[in-house]
Amino acid sequence: MKNTQMENTRIKIKDITDLDSLSSEYDISKEELIAFHNQHCALHEIIPGNLPKYLKYIYIPADKKSKRKEKSLFTPQIILPGTPEKSTYGVVMTTALPETRIHYLVDIQRKQGMALSIVRKKIYVNDQEVELMLEKLMETASKALYPLEISLKKDGRAEGILNVNEIKNRWKEEYYPRIHQYYEGKVADETIGKLNRFYENMSGSTEVLHQNLFYAIYFMPLYTLYPDYQKEEMLNFYFPSLKEVISYTVVFSLQKTLTEYNKILIHIKGKQINTPIAADLKNGSLDLLYQLNEETKTISSVIGKLSAFHQNKEVGIAIEVYQQKSYI
């Protein structure tokens, strides 16, 4: 006997809060959607009328997914979000030779207007807490920076540090005495001296952020007009293993349609700029894919990699940034 039951497919309903928007997107009435889902789902997945908060997936006719209405951006411009919002991001950076994986969590509190507050959590190296004396010293000293209050330019780049005096006092009154008392020896004394000069000379300039790849990735000039859905820029990134800043010519490409989960896509690709002396050498590359939340325009995720050629050897860094719903 021929099976007349319509083929179904299961879709994830992340970021979808009501059945009306879902039925509109897949060109099926709300009533048909509920009836079809309830016919194919498990007992605990039945939709009583409204979309249950615990439901992760919904069943729709297979042909409806292929005919899904693509949502388009109304204009080739992204505007910096100005409403308060708190997000936690998981950050993973991986380098080779030797392979090293660094990961940590970052809390970012967007405030009213063009400002935000940052708190970085504990750093893990190859899934372990830092163990070497110098690494522990540096991590403890870096805690004096947080919370870090940043003002923003309209395009999303960092403009200035707003709480410099607070950071200096935190270092002087809390972290410097603790570190100076706990760590001893010539190497420790030299390192503490450098850190003390760093904090004493700290100003409102965001130059202090340039050596942290996460900040270079997060404070990208995303929020601007994209003529013909593209724009060109020159970007600089600091490579810790080279102790040098590498420059790239890049193209930002804004996708005209939203993703299946209603994310805005911005793809950044580019090539390393070599000096005239090294013009005949190989070029490194940059490839980053950003997903922004449709409503808030905040960053949802970033994945990609950067590479640079130095003395004819390639050095690469892979980076992943994901917005978290809760601590992991």
PDB file of all heavy atoms in Angstrom, residues 182-203:
ATOM      1  N   TYR A 182      53.580  38.525  47.264  1.00  0.00           N
ATOM      2  CA  TYR A 182      53.518  37.088  46.994  1.00  0.00           C
ATOM      3  C   TYR A 182      54.658  36.602  46.101  1.00  0.00           C
ATOM      4  O   TYR A 182      55.212  35.521  46.313  1.00  0.00           O
ATOM      5  CB  TYR A 182      52.170  36.755  46.341  1.00  0.00           C
ATOM      6  CG  TYR A 182      51.934  35.281  46.159  1.00  0.00           C
ATOM      7  CD1 TYR A 182      51.468  34.492  47.216  1.00  0.00           C
ATOM      8  CD2 TYR A 182      52.171  34.661  44.929  1.00  0.00           C
ATOM      9  CE1 TYR A 182      51.256  33.140  47.051  1.00  0.00           C
ATOM     10  CE2 TYR A 182      51.959  33.306  44.756  1.00  0.00           C
ATOM     11  CZ  TYR A 182      51.501  32.543  45.822  1.00  0.00           C
ATOM     12  OH  TYR A 182      51.299  31.202  45.655  1.00  0.00           O
ATOM     13  N   TYR A 183      55.032  37.392  45.072  1.00  0.00           N
ATOM     14  CA  TYR A 183      56.024  36.942  44.099  1.00  0.00           C
ATOM     15  C   TYR A 183      57.382  37.565  44.398  1.00  0.00           C
ATOM     16  O   TYR A 183      57.493  38.780  44.576  1.00  0.00           O
ATOM     17  CB  TYR A 183      55.589  37.314  42.676  1.00  0.00           C
ATOM     18  CG  TYR A 183      54.345  36.582  42.229  1.00  0.00           C
ATOM     19  CD1 TYR A 183      53.085  37.188  42.333  1.00  0.00           C
ATOM     20  CD2 TYR A 183      54.414  35.288  41.720  1.00  0.00           C
ATOM     21  CE1 TYR A 183      51.942  36.518  41.930  1.00  0.00           C
ATOM     22  CE2 TYR A 183      53.269  34.616  41.316  1.00  0.00           C
ATOM     23  CZ  TYR A 183      52.043  35.231  41.427  1.00  0.00           C
ATOM     24  OH  TYR A 183      50.912  34.566  41.039  1.00  0.00           O
ATOM     25  N   GLU A 184      58.427  36.717  44.430  1.00  0.00           N
ATOM     26  CA  GLU A 184      59.777  37.182  44.734  1.00  0.00           C
ATOM     27  C   GLU A 184      60.757  36.674  43.681  1.00  0.00           C
ATOM     28  O   GLU A 184      60.481  35.725  42.952  1.00  0.00           O
ATOM     29  CB  GLU A 184      60.212  36.692  46.120  1.00  0.00           C
ATOM     30  CG  GLU A 184      59.368  37.234  47.267  1.00  0.00           C
ATOM     31  CD  GLU A 184      59.827  36.706  48.618  1.00  0.00           C
ATOM     32  OE1 GLU A 184      60.618  35.735  48.624  1.00  0.00           O
ATOM     33  OE2 GLU A 184      59.396  37.255  49.644  1.00  0.00           O
ATOM     34  N   GLY A 185      61.908  37.323  43.610  1.00  0.00           N
ATOM     35  CA  GLY A 185      62.941  36.913  42.659  1.00  0.00           C
ATOM     36  C   GLY A 185      63.177  37.982  41.614  1.00  0.00           C
ATOM     37  O   GLY A 185      62.367  38.897  41.422  1.00  0.00           O
ATOM     38  N   LYS A 186      64.298  37.870  40.920  1.00  0.00           N
ATOM     39  CA  LYS A 186      64.703  38.882  39.949  1.00  0.00           C
ATOM     40  C   LYS A 186      63.704  39.007  38.799  1.00  0.00           C
ATOM     41  O   LYS A 186      63.309  40.117  38.420  1.00  0.00           O
ATOM     42  CB  LYS A 186      66.089  38.536  39.399  1.00  0.00           C
ATOM     43  CG  LYS A 186      66.635  39.582  38.439  1.00  0.00           C
ATOM     44  CD  LYS A 186      68.025  39.206  37.950  1.00  0.00           C
ATOM     45  CE  LYS A 186      68.539  40.260  36.961  1.00  0.00           C
ATOM     46  NZ  LYS A 186      69.896  39.909  36.456  1.00  0.00           N
ATOM     47  N   VAL A 187      63.297  37.860  38.232  1.00  0.00           N
ATOM     48  CA  VAL A 187      62.362  37.882  37.101  1.00  0.00           C
ATOM     49  C   VAL A 187      61.027  38.486  37.525  1.00  0.00           C
ATOM     50  O   VAL A 187      60.441  39.313  36.818  1.00  0.00           O
ATOM     51  CB  VAL A 187      62.146  36.465  36.533  1.00  0.00           C
ATOM     52  CG1 VAL A 187      61.070  36.481  35.448  1.00  0.00           C
ATOM     53  CG2 VAL A 187      63.447  35.915  35.975  1.00  0.00           C
ATOM     54  N   ALA A 188      60.551  38.085  38.711  1.00  0.00           N
ATOM     55  CA  ALA A 188      59.281  38.612  39.214  1.00  0.00           C
ATOM     56  C   ALA A 188      59.375  40.114  39.445  1.00  0.00           C
ATOM     57  O   ALA A 188      58.462  40.871  39.080  1.00  0.00           O
ATOM     58  CB  ALA A 188      58.892  37.900  40.502  1.00  0.00           C
ATOM     59  N   ASP A 189      60.480  40.567  40.037  1.00  0.00           N
ATOM     60  CA  ASP A 189      60.653  42.001  40.310  1.00  0.00           C
ATOM     61  C   ASP A 189      60.662  42.815  39.018  1.00  0.00           C
ATOM     62  O   ASP A 189      60.060  43.897  38.944  1.00  0.00           O
ATOM     63  CB  ASP A 189      61.953  42.242  41.083  1.00  0.00           C
ATOM     64  CG  ASP A 189      61.872  41.754  42.529  1.00  0.00           C
ATOM     65  OD1 ASP A 189      60.737  41.548  43.005  1.00  0.00           O
ATOM     66  OD2 ASP A 189      62.929  41.581  43.156  1.00  0.00           O
ATOM     67  N   GLU A 190      61.350  42.297  37.991  1.00  0.00           N
ATOM     68  CA  GLU A 190      61.400  43.005  36.708  1.00  0.00           C
ATOM     69  C   GLU A 190      60.010  43.077  36.067  1.00  0.00           C
ATOM     70  O   GLU A 190      59.605  44.120  35.536  1.00  0.00           O
ATOM     71  CB  GLU A 190      62.376  42.305  35.759  1.00  0.00           C
ATOM     72  CG  GLU A 190      63.844  42.462  36.157  1.00  0.00           C
ATOM     73  CD  GLU A 190      64.775  41.696  35.229  1.00  0.00           C
ATOM     74  OE1 GLU A 190      64.258  40.970  34.351  1.00  0.00           O
ATOM     75  OE2 GLU A 190      66.001  41.818  35.389  1.00  0.00           O
ATOM     76  N   THR A 191      59.283  41.961  36.131  1.00  0.00           N
ATOM     77  CA  THR A 191      57.940  41.918  35.544  1.00  0.00           C
ATOM     78  C   THR A 191      56.986  42.843  36.288  1.00  0.00           C
ATOM     79  O   THR A 191      56.208  43.583  35.670  1.00  0.00           O
ATOM     80  CB  THR A 191      57.394  40.478  35.568  1.00  0.00           C
ATOM     81  OG1 THR A 191      58.307  39.615  34.880  1.00  0.00           O
ATOM     82  CG2 THR A 191      56.031  40.404  34.901  1.00  0.00           C
ATOM     83  N   ILE A 192      57.047  42.816  37.611  1.00  0.00           N
ATOM     84  CA  ILE A 192      56.177  43.683  38.416  1.00  0.00           C
ATOM     85  C   ILE A 192      56.499  45.151  38.150  1.00  0.00           C
ATOM     86  O   ILE A 192      55.604  45.996  38.078  1.00  0.00           O
ATOM     87  CB  ILE A 192      56.326  43.348  39.915  1.00  0.00           C
ATOM     88  CG1 ILE A 192      55.772  41.944  40.192  1.00  0.00           C
ATOM     89  CG2 ILE A 192      55.590  44.375  40.775  1.00  0.00           C
ATOM     90  CD1 ILE A 192      56.094  41.413  41.576  1.00  0.00           C
ATOM     91  N   GLY A 193      57.786  45.456  37.973  1.00  0.00           N
ATOM     92  CA  GLY A 193      58.186  46.829  37.653  1.00  0.00           C
ATOM     93  C   GLY A 193      57.587  47.298  36.338  1.00  0.00           C
ATOM     94  O   GLY A 193      57.092  48.430  36.231  1.00  0.00           O
ATOM     95  N   LYS A 194      57.612  46.431  35.321  1.00  0.00           N
ATOM     96  CA  LYS A 194      57.028  46.776  34.018  1.00  0.00           C
ATOM     97  C   LYS A 194      55.519  46.977  34.132  1.00  0.00           C
ATOM     98  O   LYS A 194      54.950  47.906  33.548  1.00  0.00           O
ATOM     99  CB  LYS A 194      57.332  45.673  33.001  1.00  0.00           C
ATOM    100  CG  LYS A 194      58.790  45.600  32.577  1.00  0.00           C
ATOM    101  CD  LYS A 194      59.006  44.461  31.589  1.00  0.00           C
ATOM    102  CE  LYS A 194      60.475  44.358  31.183  1.00  0.00           C
ATOM    103  NZ  LYS A 194      60.702  43.216  30.253  1.00  0.00           N
ATOM    104  N   LEU A 195      54.870  46.090  34.895  1.00  0.00           N
ATOM    105  CA  LEU A 195      53.423  46.201  35.080  1.00  0.00           C
ATOM    106  C   LEU A 195      53.058  47.481  35.824  1.00  0.00           C
ATOM    107  O   LEU A 195      52.077  48.158  35.490  1.00  0.00           O
ATOM    108  CB  LEU A 195      52.902  44.979  35.851  1.00  0.00           C
ATOM    109  CG  LEU A 195      52.909  43.655  35.085  1.00  0.00           C
ATOM    110  CD1 LEU A 195      52.704  42.487  36.040  1.00  0.00           C
ATOM    111  CD2 LEU A 195      51.832  43.650  34.009  1.00  0.00           C
ATOM    112  N   ASN A 196      53.866  47.825  36.817  1.00  0.00           N
ATOM    113  CA  ASN A 196      53.606  49.038  37.590  1.00  0.00           C
ATOM    114  C   ASN A 196      53.720  50.276  36.702  1.00  0.00           C
ATOM    115  O   ASN A 196      52.884  51.192  36.781  1.00  0.00           O
ATOM    116  CB  ASN A 196      54.584  49.130  38.760  1.00  0.00           C
ATOM    117  CG  ASN A 196      54.170  50.193  39.754  1.00  0.00           C
ATOM    118  OD1 ASN A 196      53.011  50.297  40.143  1.00  0.00           O
ATOM    119  ND2 ASN A 196      55.127  51.022  40.167  1.00  0.00           N
ATOM    120  N   ARG A 197      54.727  50.294  35.833  1.00  0.00           N
ATOM    121  CA  ARG A 197      54.881  51.428  34.910  1.00  0.00           C
ATOM    122  C   ARG A 197      53.723  51.485  33.919  1.00  0.00           C
ATOM    123  O   ARG A 197      53.256  52.566  33.547  1.00  0.00           O
ATOM    124  CB  ARG A 197      56.220  51.322  34.169  1.00  0.00           C
ATOM    125  CG  ARG A 197      57.434  51.606  35.053  1.00  0.00           C
ATOM    126  CD  ARG A 197      58.703  51.739  34.234  1.00  0.00           C
ATOM    127  NE  ARG A 197      59.107  50.474  33.629  1.00  0.00           N
ATOM    128  CZ  ARG A 197      59.838  49.555  34.252  1.00  0.00           C
ATOM    129  NH1 ARG A 197      60.226  49.740  35.510  1.00  0.00           N
ATOM    130  NH2 ARG A 197      60.185  48.444  33.626  1.00  0.00           N
ATOM    131  N   PHE A 198      53.268  50.294  33.497  1.00  0.00           N
ATOM    132  CA  PHE A 198      52.129  50.233  32.569  1.00  0.00           C
ATOM    133  C   PHE A 198      50.902  50.902  33.182  1.00  0.00           C
ATOM    134  O   PHE A 198      50.248  51.741  32.547  1.00  0.00           O
ATOM    135  CB  PHE A 198      51.827  48.776  32.222  1.00  0.00           C
ATOM    136  CG  PHE A 198      50.486  48.558  31.576  1.00  0.00           C
ATOM    137  CD1 PHE A 198      50.298  48.825  30.230  1.00  0.00           C
ATOM    138  CD2 PHE A 198      49.403  48.094  32.317  1.00  0.00           C
ATOM    139  CE1 PHE A 198      49.059  48.632  29.630  1.00  0.00           C
ATOM    140  CE2 PHE A 198      48.168  47.902  31.728  1.00  0.00           C
ATOM    141  CZ  PHE A 198      47.995  48.173  30.385  1.00  0.00           C
ATOM    142  N   TYR A 199      50.577  50.536  34.416  1.00  0.00           N
ATOM    143  CA  TYR A 199      49.384  51.096  35.055  1.00  0.00           C
ATOM    144  C   TYR A 199      49.568  52.570  35.415  1.00  0.00           C
ATOM    145  O   TYR A 199      48.634  53.365  35.288  1.00  0.00           O
ATOM    146  CB  TYR A 199      49.019  50.281  36.297  1.00  0.00           C
ATOM    147  CG  TYR A 199      48.283  48.999  35.973  1.00  0.00           C
ATOM    148  CD1 TYR A 199      48.899  47.755  36.099  1.00  0.00           C
ATOM    149  CD2 TYR A 199      46.966  49.029  35.523  1.00  0.00           C
ATOM    150  CE1 TYR A 199      48.219  46.584  35.795  1.00  0.00           C
ATOM    151  CE2 TYR A 199      46.279  47.860  35.216  1.00  0.00           C
ATOM    152  CZ  TYR A 199      46.913  46.639  35.348  1.00  0.00           C
ATOM    153  OH  TYR A 199      46.237  45.482  35.032  1.00  0.00           O
ATOM    154  N   GLU A 200      50.761  52.949  35.851  1.00  0.00           N
ATOM    155  CA  GLU A 200      51.007  54.351  36.199  1.00  0.00           C
ATOM    156  C   GLU A 200      50.883  55.264  34.983  1.00  0.00           C
ATOM    157  O   GLU A 200      50.419  56.401  35.089  1.00  0.00           O
ATOM    158  CB  GLU A 200      52.400  54.506  36.822  1.00  0.00           C
ATOM    159  CG  GLU A 200      52.499  54.005  38.259  1.00  0.00           C
ATOM    160  CD  GLU A 200      53.878  54.244  38.850  1.00  0.00           C
ATOM    161  OE1 GLU A 200      54.824  54.502  38.068  1.00  0.00           O
ATOM    162  OE2 GLU A 200      54.009  54.177  40.085  1.00  0.00           O
ATOM    163  N   ASN A 201      51.310  54.770  33.818  1.00  0.00           N
ATOM    164  CA  ASN A 201      51.293  55.584  32.596  1.00  0.00           C
ATOM    165  C   ASN A 201      50.013  55.422  31.783  1.00  0.00           C
ATOM    166  O   ASN A 201      49.885  55.995  30.697  1.00  0.00           O
ATOM    167  CB  ASN A 201      52.493  55.224  31.709  1.00  0.00           C
ATOM    168  CG  ASN A 201      53.814  55.540  32.385  1.00  0.00           C
ATOM    169  OD1 ASN A 201      53.911  56.510  33.140  1.00  0.00           O
ATOM    170  ND2 ASN A 201      54.830  54.721  32.134  1.00  0.00           N
ATOM    171  N   MET A 202      49.079  54.654  32.297  1.00  0.00           N
ATOM    172  CA  MET A 202      47.851  54.382  31.559  1.00  0.00           C
ATOM    173  C   MET A 202      47.043  55.661  31.355  1.00  0.00           C
ATOM    174  O   MET A 202      46.901  56.484  32.259  1.00  0.00           O
ATOM    175  CB  MET A 202      47.012  53.354  32.328  1.00  0.00           C
ATOM    176  CG  MET A 202      45.866  52.786  31.551  1.00  0.00           C
ATOM    177  SD  MET A 202      45.049  51.477  32.517  1.00  0.00           S
ATOM    178  CE  MET A 202      43.757  51.030  31.365  1.00  0.00           C
ATOM    179  N   SER A 203      46.528  55.822  30.132  1.00  0.00           N
ATOM    180  CA  SER A 203      45.702  56.989  29.816  1.00  0.00           C
ATOM    181  C   SER A 203      44.358  56.504  29.289  1.00  0.00           C
ATOM    182  O   SER A 203      44.046  55.317  29.341  1.00  0.00           O
ATOM    183  CB  SER A 203      46.399  57.861  28.765  1.00  0.00           C
ATOM    184  OG  SER A 203      46.470  57.173  27.528  1.00  0.00           O
TER     185      SER A 203
END
